[in-house]
């Protein structure tokens, strides 16, 4: 039952993204990251901009990645820990875009959060002696560095009908490293004690 319950957290995030996408298909942009509106006091957009997507391809790519990450790391998070993970990563990505990418006026997508989820989960893997965590971290860092140096493929931008904001991936990765010690602590705290 515990395993099924933990999957529900991940399913809920996917459904949230799907619902927001369907709502925004009618040109409702109340949840999108919009720099001008954030600076005018609509601070929730720092968080909610991560949950909308430009088109069905963008949504499908991110939900597929979410399912893969869930398959790797669902067991590490209680409902509260998972919710706080999503909130902290979303705020980290949104604040990073606001402060460090001032030329970005509009943004939607879960990919920055997903990069942070990979990092936190990989660090937890390492603490459990799953050395595949090192591969995940190294692979994610190489991907993000490649994006920073050479930008994203044109084909991906054409598919999602928007320029891929590779900075969001960087901010998600950095936020993941910053908050990972909290989740390492939480996992050790709730791990059963051995006698």
């Amino acid at each position: 039952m515990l395993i099924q319950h933990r999957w529900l957290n991940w399913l809920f995030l996917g459904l949230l993204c799907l619902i927001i996408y369907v709502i925004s298909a009618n040109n409702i942009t109340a949840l999108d990251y919009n720099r001008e509106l954030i600076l005018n006091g609509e601070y929730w957009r720092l968080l909610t901009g991560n949950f909308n997507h430009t088109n069905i391809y963008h949504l499908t790519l991110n939900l597929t990645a979410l399912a893969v990450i869930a398959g790797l790391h669902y067991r590490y998070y209680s409902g509260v820990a998972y919710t706080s993970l999503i909130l902290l990563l979303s705020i980290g990505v949104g604040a990073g875009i606001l402060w460090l990418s001032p030329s970005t006026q509009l943004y939607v997508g879960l990919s920055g959060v997903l990069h942070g989820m990979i990092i936190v989960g990989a660090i937890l893997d390492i603490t459990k002696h799953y050395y595949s965590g090192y591969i995940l971290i190294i692979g994610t860092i190489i991907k993000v560095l490649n994006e920073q140096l050479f930008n994203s493929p044109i084909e991906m931008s054409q598919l999602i009908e928007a320029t891929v904001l590779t900075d969001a991936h960087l901010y998600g990765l950095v936020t993941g490293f910053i908050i990972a010690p909290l989740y390492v602590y939480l996992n050790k705290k709730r791990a059963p004690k051995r006698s």
Side-chain angles (χ1 to χ4, degrees):
M1 184 64 173
L2 183 60
I3 290 174
Q4 293 172 345
H5 173 70
R6 291 206 180 145
W7 270 99
L8 289 176
N9 299 321
W10 299 76
L11 181 62
F12 177 75
L13 178 59
L15 288 174
L16 177 65
C17 290
L18 180 62
I19 290 166
I20 289 173
Y21 173 74
V22 169
I23 290 170
S24 69
N26 294 323
N27 290 325
I28 297 172
T29 60
L31 301 176
D32 294 359
Y33 175 99
N34 181 314
R35 180 179 179 78
E36 180 181 345
L37 296 176
I38 291 168
L39 293 175
N40 286 327
E42 296 184 14
Y43 302 116
W44 68 84
R45 293 173 179 273
L46 289 169
L47 174 73
T48 60
N50 294 282
F51 305 128
N52 198 6
H53 292 80
T54 57
N55 62 25
I56 195 66
Y57 299 111
H58 190 199
L59 177 66
T60 302
L61 286 168
N62 279 337
L63 293 185
T64 302
L66 179 66
V68 170
I69 297 167
L72 292 171
H73 300 137
Y74 72 91
R75 64 193 175 278
Y76 294 146
Y77 308 104
S78 66
V80 172
Y82 181 77
T83 301
S84 69
L85 175 73
I86 300 307
L87 291 175
L88 290 171
L89 288 170
S90 297
I91 291 167
V93 170
I97 295 168
L98 183 69
W99 294 329
L100 303 174
S101 298
S103 64
T104 300
Q105 298 301 310
L106 303 170
Y107 170 75
V108 293
L110 193 63
S111 58
V113 170
L114 293 171
H115 282 72
M117 292 171 83
I118 291 170
I119 295 301
V120 174
I123 290 171
L124 289 169
D125 280 344
I126 292 167
T127 66
K128 307 286 185 191
H129 305 289
Y130 298 126
Y131 296 107
S132 58
Y134 290 110
I135 295 169
L136 284 172
I137 290 172
I138 292 167
T140 306
I141 289 172
I142 289 171
K143 176 190 179 290
V144 170
L145 284 175
N146 182 62
E147 290 173 343
Q148 291 298 306
L149 296 173
F150 304 109
N151 217 330
S152 63
I154 294 171
E155 297 83 11
M156 184 61 73
S157 292
Q158 291 171 341
L159 182 65
I160 69 168
E161 297 175 353
T163 302
V164 176
L165 184 60
T166 57
D167 285 352
H169 302 170
L170 175 64
Y171 305 144
L173 177 137
V174 170
T175 304
F177 276 116
I178 291 169
I179 67 174
L182 170 63
Y183 292 93
V184 169
Y185 169 76
L186 291 174
N187 264 265
K188 285 183 180 175
K189 186 175 176 184
R190 76 179 172 83
K193 299 206 188 310
R194 297 181 184 176
S195 46

